[in-house]
Every structure is written in C-alpha cells, then in structure tokens.
Amino acid sequence: MSVYDFEVQTNKGESVTLDEYKGKVLLVVNTASKCGFTPQYKGLESLYSEFKSEGFEVLGFPCNQFGKQEPGDDQEIASFCDLNFGVSFPLFKKIDVNGDAQSPLFSYLKTKAPGIAGTTGVKWNFTKFLVGRDGQVLRRYAPKTKPEAIAADIKVELAKQA
C-alpha cells in the first residue's frame, strides 16, 4: 500500500486518485487560513516553485479542526490562498485529519509516520508529511517546522530515482 492507493476530492469537487502523482516527491500538508502558521503558505509555494520541475508537488488539505481556523468554503479558501500567497500548488477539499470522519489518506499518513512518542493524531494545522517517489511516507514534520527547513530533505529525495 502507498499514498497512490487513495482517492481524494479536489477543491472543485472532482475525485482524483493520488496515483496521478506517481514518481513524484510529495509534501502533504493540512492547512488553515486563519492560523498563526498561515504565513507558511509562502514557504510552501516557494518550495513548490523551486522544485516542481524536478518532480515535486505540495498537496494542501484545508482543515477546520484546530481552533476553527479554516471557516471558509473551498472556493473562499482557494481565493484567499491565491490573493494572499500566490499559491499555485494543488488544494483539495476541506477535510478532517483526526476523529471519526478523518480522511483515510491522513489516517494512513499518521500511521506510517507517527508523531512524538508514537502519537498518531495531528496536533495542529500545517503538519507536513514527506512522501518519496515510491509513494511511501518518509517523515512527519511538526506545524512549527518552516517549509524552508525541509528543503534539504526534499533535495535528497529528488536525487533518488523512482
């Protein structure tokens, strides 16, 4: 099993399977527009711009579970991200990352890359998961980890062949 086995909804409501990203290095992030970490959108977009041509994708999954910091609908979220941060990486439908209604993708990510002391829950917005070209989850990064701090790990993975 890998991330490529999951189907998700785009922010326009279309179903896509993540096998569309086969052979690419992915950074999967739960996001929010009204969070103290929201400025990380700029860093995520910078990583995306820098490494996209080498086979890198950022996949943003808005989530309203932490302090109700993502209250907008999918169109409002996309507009906010574009206007404020020039986000061009894919944004998906707003999801839950914890609890009974959690996204199966995030359930998988959390199991494959547990947090500190083996915790599986996502603690807050902007938790990041690095996925290798083979679709396997490599590492989890805390919300406070700035995107630019992940660049070296991304470069290492991009240097590997699928």
Side-chain angles (χ1 to χ4, degrees):
M1 185 165 211
S2 76
V3 297
Y4 302 137
D5 295 314
F6 292 90
E7 186 174 298
V8 295
Q9 298 279 314
T10 69
N11 62 353
K12 293 177 176 65
E14 303 157 340
S15 291
V16 295
T17 56
L18 292 180
D19 67 355
E20 287 187 19
Y21 298 99
K22 204 169 245 179
K24 295 186 177 193
V25 175
L26 307 176
L27 190 63
V28 182
V29 187
N30 68 304
T31 62
S33 299
K34 300 190 182 303
C35 175
F37 297 122
T38 300
Q40 287 188 24
Y41 269 125
K42 183 177 181 184
L44 293 169
E45 180 62 27
S46 181
L47 288 176
Y48 183 61
S49 296
E50 181 177 353
F51 298 119
K52 182 180 180 187
S53 66
E54 297 175 50
F56 174 70
E57 294 281 343
V58 174
L59 307 181
F61 288 86
C63 178
N64 195 38
Q65 287 189 290
F66 306 102
K68 304 288 184 210
Q69 295 179 341
E70 189 56 277
D73 65 26
D74 293 316
Q75 184 177 355
E76 291 167 333
I77 295 165
S79 180
F80 170 86
C81 290
D82 180 44
L83 291 172
N84 293 286
F85 299 102
V87 167
S88 62
F89 58 81
L91 291 171
F92 294 85
K93 188 167 189 56
K94 189 162 50 171
I95 59 162
D96 284 354
V97 297
N98 292 325
D100 292 340
Q102 73 182 301
S103 154
L105 170 63
F106 271 80
S107 178
Y108 175 78
L109 293 168
K110 295 183 306 179
T111 300
K112 293 297 183 181
I116 296 171
T119 60
T120 55
V122 169
K123 288 185 183 177
W124 204 256
N125 304 308
F126 291 91
T127 298
K128 302 156 201 74
F129 294 89
L130 185 63
V131 177
R133 290 184 187 272
D134 60 358
Q136 297 303 309
V137 183
L138 301 170
R139 187 165 173 198
R140 177 195 289 220
Y141 301 90
K144 66 182 179 182
T145 303
K146 293 183 178 177
E148 48 272 21
I150 302 170
D153 292 345
I154 292 168
K155 287 179 187 177
V156 167
E157 291 308 312
L158 288 171
K160 297 177 182 177
Q161 295 302 313

